[in-house]
Amino acid sequence: GELRIYQEHLFSRVVKAYLLETIEKNNLRDMSPNLVVAIPQHQAHEIGALIAAAYAASDGWKVTYLSPNLPAEEIIAGSIKLDAKVIVISIVYSDDPLLIKKDLLRFGAALSKDTKIVVGGESAELHKSTIDEIGGIMAGSFSDYREIIAGLRQGYVNKFYN
């Protein structure tokens, strides 16, 4: 209640620039597995997704950040084109739970079973049954997320080199 809206937006812009720079600085690994971070349609908040992307890049993933408010079909097309091994979906608001459910079901139906779908954000828990239905992984916290992607990367590296 002490900050004005313009101050929040200014702060968000500065943090976003820092996180994008962190992603680019750590995103130089040609042999690294691909990880896509996306924010579905009608979801505008991106700081959490950017933190997830920056962490993945610093953990050895080749990260592509697709920005907020993307239709499911575009997230799917980009993920397939980039041969993503993991797609991280950030859901902050659940104003239209049916739309989010439909998007999650589209991801599950359209993506290879070898592509892991990790869903996080403040509203992820509300969609746990759908995440389970599509074989996705719910990250309930950033601590969970770090463990999940570290484990997925280790599994991918072991599979690649064995």
Side-chain angles (χ1 to χ4, degrees):
E2 294 181 27
L3 292 179
R4 296 190 61 101
I5 294 171
Y6 84 87
Q7 292 170 312
E8 177 192 354
H9 283 239
L10 179 60
F11 174 78
S12 293
R13 186 184 59 77
V14 170
V15 170
K16 179 179 174 181
Y18 172 77
L19 291 169
L20 286 168
E21 182 181 328
T22 300
I23 295 164
E24 289 304 313
K25 179 175 69 174
N26 290 294
N27 217 12
L28 303 174
R29 299 167 182 90
D30 287 335
M31 294 299 292
S32 296
N34 292 322
L35 180 142
V36 168
V37 177
I39 305 167
Q41 201 167 10
H42 306 295
Q43 298 286 314
H45 288 265
E46 61 183 325
I47 297 298
L50 281 165
I51 292 169
Y55 181 81
S58 68
D59 192 47
W61 290 90
K62 186 182 212 177
V63 175
T64 303
Y65 174 68
L66 295 181
S67 300
N69 197 23
L70 272 181
E73 294 76 17
E74 294 303 314
I75 294 170
I76 292 164
S79 298
I80 291 170
K81 178 73 174 170
L82 294 163
D83 189 29
K85 304 303 178 200
V86 175
I87 300 170
V88 177
I89 304 294
S90 176
I91 303 170
V92 174
Y93 292 114
S94 195
D95 294 340
D96 190 346
L98 185 57
L99 177 64
I100 293 169
K101 180 176 182 162
K102 286 179 182 178
D103 283 352
L104 290 171
L105 292 171
R106 283 184 190 122
F107 299 141
L111 297 166
S112 159
K113 295 300 177 203
D114 294 330
T115 303
K116 302 299 180 194
I117 302 168
V118 178
V119 183
E122 285 185 41
S123 291
E125 181 70 38
L126 299 173
H127 301 280
K128 183 164 179 9
S129 63
T130 306
I131 295 166
D132 291 343
E133 182 179 338
I134 65 171
I137 304 166
M138 193 184 82
S141 67
F142 274 114
S143 178
D144 291 347
Y145 171 75
R146 289 191 301 267
E147 287 182 31
I148 290 164
I149 65 165
L152 291 172
R153 186 172 184 284
Q154 188 60 47
Y156 176 78
V157 169
N158 289 344
K159 183 177 172 182
F160 184 78
Y161 286 107
N162 289 328

